[in-house]
Amino acid sequence: MKPPVSVTITGAAGNIGYALVFRIAAGQMLGEDQPVILRLLEVPQAMTALGGVAMELEDCAFPLLHDVVLSDDPAIGFRDTNYAMLVGAKPRTKGMERKDLITENARIFSAQGKAINEHAARDIHVLVVGNPANTNTLIASANAPDINPANFTAMTRLDHNRAMAQIAAKTNHLVADVTRMTIWGNHSSTQYPDISHCLVDGKPVTDMVSMSWAIDHFTPTVQRRGAAIIDARGASSAASAADAAIDHMHSWILGTDEGDWVSMAIPSDGSYGIEPGLIYSFPVTCKDRSYEIVQGLEISDYSQEKMRKTEQELLDEREMIADLL
Ligand code: NAD
Ligand code: LMR
């Protein structure tokens, strides 16, 4: 058995947290040979509920779960931690865009960035889930100057998975047959789900679906799926968000499949002309606990315009929180 690693989950008593912690403890994120210590961070008023989550974790008797630490103190929550999943933040409600949460949630991520800088393991891998996820990641990273910015990422894997599911349904294939999906940009309604390079059963999906279906149905369905779930459930996605968070970390740490890629929002290095430093979703391959942007993809004029639009939204969001950087 490997030595245990620590995984911090913020907002662990919330809806996504409840769908996440048991799967990590079961080994679904870091592998069935990787023992874990869960460090669950909450706000003081949620500590009683968090105690209930801890009792349930105990009652599962997970062989890989070596310890559970509960705290409302970021210094304890992030102490020497190897992985952090920053979920704890307010969710949007009906009629809101995710960026409407920016003022309320931004301060959480500046405080947690500072705590990570001070207390976490130097090679910590961070995934931000709390919305608006890309800009919150920028804030957390800017407040953790001693940690490599490349180790701060935001989640667009839910959008990636949603897009794969739509393509599988449309082409009467299994999701497992769909590869090389790409989400560009912001986890927002300006994101660009791009099927230009996507394959189904190894063949270009662009030969199987019409451009008008892609533009008029597929793209808005993926862009607005979060809002559709809020309308239907009266609460934002939780189980599918937790599932995507597990997928994101699993790919990052354990690697992507040969010949395929995944979407991750990461600090731009200027690839595809995107403003360096912005937390922008790119197609990436992962190996040995790090990622690389897929290079050399042909970008049509249509794609270029969509990629710029979502970049512009991220630039505008950055302006709004400039005082926290
Ligand atoms: P929730 O309200 O059910 O739970 C949030 C939890 O966070 C609560 O228990 C709250 O007490 C806790 N919390 C708040 N501030 C905290 C802090 N400073 N430190 C630690 N814990 C804190 O919400 P949820 O449904 O779990 O959603 C959480 C966030 O994830 C929201 O911002 C939501 O919009 C976002 N989200 C993102 C994606 C994505 O794809 N990136 C998907 C779904 C939801
Ligand atoms: C989602 O995509 O489901 C989440 O970001 C929640 C939301 O506000 O849409």
Side-chain angles (χ1 to χ4, degrees):
M1 258 310 168
K2 298 174 178 171
V5 293
S6 288
V7 183
T8 299
I9 297 143
T10 70
N15 285 306
I16 297 174
Y18 192 70
L20 189 58
V21 294
F22 299 93
R23 294 187 57 189
I24 298 172
Q28 291 177 10
M29 186 169 90
L30 297 173
E32 288 177 7
D33 59 348
Q34 179 58 71
V36 291
I37 295 167
L38 291 181
R39 306 185 78 84
L40 308 182
L41 183 65
E42 260 294 351
V43 292
Q45 56 274 29
M47 289 307 288
T48 306
L50 190 62
V53 175
M55 283 188 248
E56 287 204 71
L57 276 167
E58 193 175 15
D59 297 347
C60 291
F62 289 118
L64 289 173
L65 185 57
H66 280 213
D67 198 6
V68 180
V69 178
L70 311 184
S71 186
D72 56 10
D73 178 354
I76 296 173
F78 291 114
R79 183 170 297 156
D80 296 329
T81 203
N82 307 100
Y83 303 98
M85 304 172 81
L86 307 187
V87 179
K90 200 173 167 187
R92 67 172 163 158
T93 47
K94 212 169 171 163
M96 291 171 80
E97 286 294 331
R98 296 180 187 96
K99 66 181 165 203
D100 297 336
L101 295 166
I102 208 162
T103 12
E104 244 176 297
N105 285 343
R107 287 186 194 284
I108 296 176
F109 294 88
S110 60
Q112 291 181 351
K114 288 186 178 79
I116 286 171
N117 200 51
E118 228 171 293
H119 303 286
R122 298 300 82 186
D123 67 343
I124 185 172
H125 287 60
V126 181
L127 166 64
V128 175
V129 174
N131 278 321
N134 300 51
T135 296
N136 289 338
T137 307
L138 191 65
I139 297 169
S141 175
N143 283 277
D146 302 337
I147 307 287
N148 182 352
N151 288 13
F152 283 84
T153 65
M155 190 164 95
T156 49
R157 187 62 172 268
L158 180 52
D159 312 293
H160 181 99
N161 288 348
R162 286 167 172 165
M164 292 211 309
Q166 292 298 316
I167 292 295
K170 178 69 179 171
T171 60
N172 283 321
H173 278 78
L174 299 174
V175 171
D177 297 329
V178 181
T179 54
R180 301 192 180 187
M181 179 59 72
T182 303
I183 305 292
W184 299 101
N186 200 1
H187 174 62
S188 76
S189 54
T190 67
Q191 69 178 266
Y192 173 41
D194 180 7
I195 58 166
S196 316
H197 314 282
C198 177
L199 305 176
V200 173
D201 221 2
K203 298 175 204 71
V205 76
T206 46
D207 293 347
M208 301 176 200
V209 301
S210 69
M211 193 64 179
S212 65
W213 176 82
I215 293 173
D216 299 332
H217 182 82
F218 167 77
T219 302
T221 299
V222 176
Q223 287 173 330
R224 306 215 161 268
R225 189 66 158 191
I229 289 167
I230 292 169
D231 286 347
R233 249 172 54 85
S236 65
S237 64
S240 56
D243 183 69
I246 298 233
D247 284 350
H248 177 112
M249 294 304 282
H250 187 279
S251 298
W252 192 5
I253 304 309
L254 299 175
T256 42
D257 293 338
E258 193 61 39
D260 199 4
W261 64 65
V262 296
S263 304
M264 280 171 70
I266 56 173
S268 169
D269 62 356
S271 292
Y272 298 98
I274 302 303
E275 167 86 359
L278 274 190
I279 307 294
Y280 191 96
S281 181
F282 288 96
V284 299
T285 54
C286 306
K287 198 178 169 194
D288 300 333
R289 299 160 54 81
S290 60
Y291 55 75
E292 265 180 36
I293 296 174
V294 177
Q295 298 294 341
L297 296 177
E298 206 175 304
I299 306 294
S300 66
D301 289 347
Y302 174 79
S303 292
Q304 188 69 249
E305 189 198 317
K306 298 283 168 206
M307 287 162 67
R308 290 277 161 235
K309 185 173 176 200
T310 190
E311 178 191 25
Q312 187 56 52
E313 184 182 45
L314 284 166
L315 290 166
D316 295 344
E317 287 185 20
R318 188 174 70 178
E319 274 297 306
M320 291 166 73
I321 49 82
D323 58 320
L324 294 174
L325 299 180

